[in-house]
Amino acid sequence: MEHMEHECDDGSAARCDVCGLVPLVPGLKAATQVVARSAAMQAVLKRAARFAVNDASVVILGETGTGKEVVARILHANSTRARRPFVAVNVAALPAELLESELFGHGKGAFTGAATARAGLFEAANGGTLFLDEIGEMPLPLQAKILRALQDGEVRRVGENRAFAVDVRILCATHRNLAGRVQDGQFRQDLYYRLKVLTLEVPPLRERRDDILPLARRFLGQERTSAGAFSPSARKRLLAYPWPGNVRELQNVVKHGAALATGEEVRDEDLPEELTQAKPTSRGPLTTLAEVEREHILRVLDACGGSQADAARVLAIGRNTLWRKLRTMGTPAAGGGRS
Ligand SMILES: Nc1ncnc2c1ncn2[C@@H]1O[C@H](COP(=O)(O)OP(=O)(O)OP(=O)(O)O)[C@@H](O)[C@H]1O
Ligand SMILES: [Mg+2]
């Protein structure tokens, strides 16, 4: 399928035929090119392409390290605001008072230490995009101020009365369930609706395994190392690992492998322990209980030479139960009677 073959990283800043985006992300040190080989990630980029040209706020959801900031930068780089600033602020990284003057600026003498007046990030982002990372951690009093700034299109510096008109597009990201925070009273409902006009969900890496090796190769190419590739066994490990820390974890694992590799390939022993402790086969993609049960039953049945009576004994379940399970599983074994 043409769509599956595509990778948004041909090294040019040209618009990509499949997702319609310029896949080059300016302002990122390491990964300037976005890897999106999996159908899931390509679907995200296609959605992003439609959102980029719109001026509405976008909430970007996804687990830690999935690439939420990358997606935010793509949205900006593909918007009519691309030539204006992209300003990112991590809401969780600053205490509330500091965050307020960081966002809105402050007047001269607004507080001890404020020797000169200073513009805030809203003003700095004027005409461009303000990316509020970890929006779920935004303190409630500040949420009210942000809502007012968005509604009025103006900000007031801390300790000053005059207002500055600002025109910013807001993008925000969170690994939290924002709707849940609203229900718990930790996030204002009015701000929530104001922000989540459009939402983009970046899937975890374990749900887009087709991206693992292209990303790993990209990251390896950015390291100074003798190795230019991964050994077949190392590739298996990379593919089998569940990646709780997603793309960022993969990036660190590749750094680890690149640092330890001595030959032309990154091998098993160059990878961190958590990847090599388990056998590659025992750490497959996360599946449902029903799938695990099905696989186990078929394995036991096979080991018992196809005898359902023996298999039922090994499984410690009744023969009728086994027969019923096989029938709902739709296996041919259930069709041949109860022998
Ligand atoms: N599709 C991709 N192609 C290339 N690099 C990527 C891709 N996705 C993520 N990365 C890289 O992985 C790292 C993590 O991405 P990013 O910071 O966007 O994740 P995040 O979801 O914002 O993480 P957190 O929740 O921890 O803030 C970055 O170094 C980024 O450049
Ligand atoms: Mg981030």
Side-chain angles (χ1 to χ4, degrees):
M1 230 162 59
E2 187 205 354
H3 193 62
M4 297 290 286
E5 294 299 322
H6 167 80
E7 191 173 341
C8 282
D9 68 343
D10 62 357
S12 74
R15 222 158 262 283
C16 142
D17 290 344
V18 176
C19 71
L21 289 167
V22 176
L24 193 76
V25 186
L28 280 182
K29 251 190 289 141
T32 45
Q33 297 283 320
V34 178
V35 174
R37 174 73 61 81
S38 69
M41 202 55 202
Q42 286 180 13
V44 169
L45 291 187
K46 277 196 160 175
R47 218 168 133 82
R50 287 165 54 214
F51 289 2
V53 293
N54 199 297
D55 214 37
S57 308
V58 183
V59 174
I60 304 162
L61 301 170
E63 289 179 13
T64 179
T66 43
K68 297 184 293 297
E69 180 161 350
V70 166
V71 168
R73 287 180 185 272
I74 294 177
L75 285 171
H76 172 75
N78 285 272
S79 76
T80 54
R81 298 171 177 268
R83 288 173 187 280
R84 306 287 299 157
F86 174 91
V87 176
V89 56
N90 186 334
V91 172
L94 295 170
E97 315 78 60
L98 250 174
L99 183 60
E100 176 171 9
S101 69
E102 194 69 20
L103 285 172
F104 297 102
H106 58 76
K108 186 178 173 182
F111 44 83
T112 338
T116 52
R118 196 169 158 238
L121 297 179
F122 265 96
E123 284 175 68
N126 199 13
T129 303
L130 181 59
F131 175 51
L132 302 173
D133 203 358
E134 308 290 1
I135 185 82
E137 321 302 315
M138 177 78 74
L140 275 166
L142 262 184
Q143 291 178 23
K145 292 199 172 163
I146 288 187
L147 183 64
R148 209 170 319 127
L150 295 182
Q151 277 167 348
D152 302 347
E154 56 182 35
V155 290
R156 279 186 176 72
R157 295 179 181 175
V158 176
E160 273 189 13
N161 268 329
R162 68 190 163 126
F164 290 88
V166 287
D167 163 33
V168 292
R169 182 193 195 184
I170 302 285
L171 302 177
C172 37
T174 179
H175 65 277
R176 288 197 184 254
N177 174 358
L178 260 195
R181 305 266 300 164
V182 172
Q183 285 204 318
D184 298 346
Q186 286 164 313
F187 204 85
R188 292 179 66 110
Q189 191 165 33
D190 44 12
L191 180 60
Y192 175 67
Y193 286 123
R194 181 77 176 64
L195 293 176
K196 73 150 224 120
V197 178
L198 304 171
T199 51
L200 263 177
E201 208 162 334
V202 188
L205 191 53
R206 64 179 173 279
E207 287 175 15
R208 45 180 169 112
R209 290 184 182 270
D210 292 345
D211 288 339
I212 294 175
L213 293 180
L215 279 166
R217 289 192 194 104
R218 163 63 45 78
F219 295 146
L220 187 60
Q222 291 165 352
E223 296 299 320
R224 283 173 46 163
T225 171
S226 61
F230 297 89
S231 75
S233 169
R235 287 204 295 271
K236 264 190 208 153
R237 306 276 185 188
L238 294 175
L239 286 170
Y241 186 66
W243 299 111
N246 295 293
V247 182
R248 180 169 306 105
E249 186 182 14
L250 173 60
Q251 206 166 19
N252 290 330
V253 163
V254 172
K255 273 189 204 301
H256 186 289
L260 295 193
T262 49
E264 288 175 3
E265 289 186 330
V266 174
R267 296 186 300 171
D268 272 19
E269 54 265 43
D270 305 325
L271 297 175
E273 262 184 6
E274 59 273 22
L275 271 88
T276 50
Q277 269 164 358
K279 286 200 188 108
T281 46
S282 68
R283 280 267 193 115
L286 297 177
T287 57
T288 63
L289 199 52
E291 274 164 357
V292 174
E293 186 185 64
R294 176 196 155 90
E295 269 184 35
H296 185 61
I297 288 176
L298 292 178
R299 198 158 60 89
V300 171
L301 197 59
D302 189 41
C304 295
S307 160
Q308 290 184 22
D310 290 351
R313 219 170 295 123
V314 172
L315 292 165
I317 57 176
R319 280 181 67 182
N320 285 339
T321 308
L322 177 58
W323 182 77
R324 262 199 316 276
K325 282 184 188 294
L326 288 168
R327 200 178 50 172
T328 52
M329 279 159 44
T331 60
R338 298 183 178 204
S339 62

